[in-house]
Amino acid sequence: MEDKRIIDLLLKNWNARIQQVTKSFDELSGWALRQEIVPGGNTVHYIIGHLLVVNDRLLEAMNLGQRKLTNLDPLFFDAEKKGQAYPPYEQLRQQWDENNQELNKLFKELSPERWLGKHAYVSTEDFEKEPDRNVLNILISRMLHLAHHGGQLALVKH
């Protein structure tokens, strides 16, 4: 029972982070999409695509199913490459909502045992040595990633 309460608390935090970043995306459009967060740094348009790809990878990492947006990896997985032509913001924004709705549904279906089980990027042998390399830890690391880029988005708004 204690595991479930902790997992529910982390999921509540995850959803709060998603809502915070989504609100920033909704507030930043037009001119802001091309804005660099810092000179020579990521643009807002890149960040939505980057976070979308990272969240899409959760399906694979957490053994929840097949990724749907692998075609976006070359544009958004690694650091932003200047001069890239990105898909329209509106398309990325719609995919962001769809991806998060799917993840939310799948997260609710996971048992505490699955949350504490091995993720796809660790071998069985390594997981036996380090059981903290579990699905829940993937979620925690992605929350930190969301918080980092959410902070970047906040810089553009001010």
Side-chain angles (χ1 to χ4, degrees), residues 8-93:
D8 287 346
L9 179 64
L10 288 168
L11 286 174
K12 183 177 179 179
N13 192 294
W14 166 262
N15 285 317
R17 293 269 174 237
I18 291 293
Q19 288 173 1
Q20 177 187 37
V21 168
T22 300
K23 183 178 179 198
S24 291
F25 288 149
D26 290 343
E27 292 171 353
L28 297 169
S29 60
W31 69 271
L33 296 180
R34 296 178 304 280
Q35 284 295 115
E36 293 179 341
I37 308 299
V38 296
N42 294 337
T43 61
V44 173
H45 201 150
Y46 169 80
I47 288 177
I48 189 171
H50 175 69
L51 289 174
L52 178 58
V53 165
V54 169
N55 283 3
D56 182 55
R57 286 175 171 249
L58 287 173
L59 294 166
E60 176 183 83
M62 298 170 114
N63 300 305
L64 298 173
Q66 296 294 313
R67 294 185 55 213
K68 298 179 179 49
L69 303 169
T70 56
N71 61 309
L72 297 178
D73 284 1
L75 290 173
F76 297 114
F77 188 66
D78 294 320
E80 182 170 7
K81 298 169 193 83
K82 300 301 174 197
Q84 291 284 356
Y86 296 133
Y89 173 80
E90 295 75 19
Q91 175 186 331
L92 295 175
R93 181 64 184 78

Side-chain angles (χ1 to χ4, degrees), residues 7 10-11 14 53-64 103 107 110 114-123 127 130-147:
I7 292 165
L10 288 168
L11 286 174
W14 166 262
V53 165
V54 169
N55 283 3
D56 182 55
R57 286 175 171 249
L58 287 173
L59 294 166
E60 176 183 83
M62 298 170 114
N63 300 305
L64 298 173
L103 287 173
F107 290 170
L110 288 180
R114 284 277 310 275
W115 278 109
L116 298 173
K118 156 183 144 30
H119 63 71
Y121 302 149
V122 64
S123 70
F127 181 69
E130 300 174 84
D132 59 323
R133 294 177 70 182
N134 56 42
V135 170
L136 189 60
N137 210 6
I138 292 280
L139 181 74
I140 293 168
S141 71
R142 296 316 182 266
M143 275 194 291
L144 294 171
H145 185 247
L146 269 172

